[in-house]
Amino acid sequence: MTRKLDYRWNLRQVMASRDMFQTTDLAPLLAERGIDLSSSQVYRLVTERPERLSLKVLMALLDILDCSMEDLIEPAAAAKPARKAKTASGEEAGVGMLRPRRARITRDGG
């Protein structure tokens, strides 16, 4: 079985520890280093975990924040998918063929 690897992206936390609380704080600093990103790209870089990242952008972030790669990218084991509950006979637990019946609302004649 192969081991699944994952990572945590800590850019927002590292920025906060350097009193940078807005994504707009980062754009001009990146531009000074020749990295021209739109405001939405900078926002996604800070708030979401990037799947791909240019090494130039990574090096600029390390320089701007005066931190190491370990501060920004933290290796982590991939979360295991939740296992489905099974009954004693080995079948999947659940409602199976049982489904609720639709309720009918009727008015009284009075």
Side-chain angles (χ1 to χ4, degrees), residues 21 49 74 79:
F21 297 102
R49 190 177 81 156
E74 182 182 340

Side-chain angles (χ1 to χ4, degrees), residues 6-52:
D6 205 1
Y7 65 96
R8 286 187 199 89
W9 181 242
N10 298 321
L11 178 57
R12 175 166 263 178
Q13 293 85 347
V14 174
M15 286 177 61
S17 70
R18 275 115 176 124
D19 294 327
M20 296 176 68
F21 297 102
Q22 296 181 348
T23 59
T24 54
D25 296 339
L26 197 55
L29 299 172
L30 286 168
E32 287 175 9
R33 289 158 179 83
I35 309 294
D36 294 314
L37 298 176
S38 69
S39 59
S40 63
Q41 288 172 316
V42 174
Y43 177 81
R44 285 193 311 267
L45 181 66
V46 173
T47 60
E48 298 174 8
R49 190 177 81 156
E51 291 297 319
R52 293 177 302 277

Side-chain angles (χ1 to χ4, degrees), residues 16-102:
S17 70
R18 275 115 176 124
D19 294 327
M20 296 176 68
F21 297 102
Q22 296 181 348
T23 59
T24 54
D25 296 339
L26 197 55
L29 299 172
L30 286 168
E32 287 175 9
R33 289 158 179 83
I35 309 294
D36 294 314
L37 298 176
S38 69
S39 59
S40 63
Q41 288 172 316
V42 174
Y43 177 81
R44 285 193 311 267
L45 181 66
V46 173
T47 60
E48 298 174 8
R49 190 177 81 156
E51 291 297 319
R52 293 177 302 277
L53 183 64
S54 161
L55 288 178
K56 288 182 179 182
V57 172
L58 178 61
M59 299 315 293
L61 290 172
L62 297 177
D63 182 47
I64 290 167
L65 299 169
D66 190 29
C67 65
S68 68
M69 204 167 350
E70 291 82 19
D71 296 330
L72 281 182
I73 305 167
E74 182 182 340
K80 294 181 181 180
R83 295 194 322 169
K84 293 186 177 184
K86 301 217 180 232
T87 62
S89 65
E91 299 171 0
E92 287 187 16
V95 294
M97 297 299 294
L98 301 176
R99 297 282 180 240
R101 289 181 41 178
R102 185 177 205 150

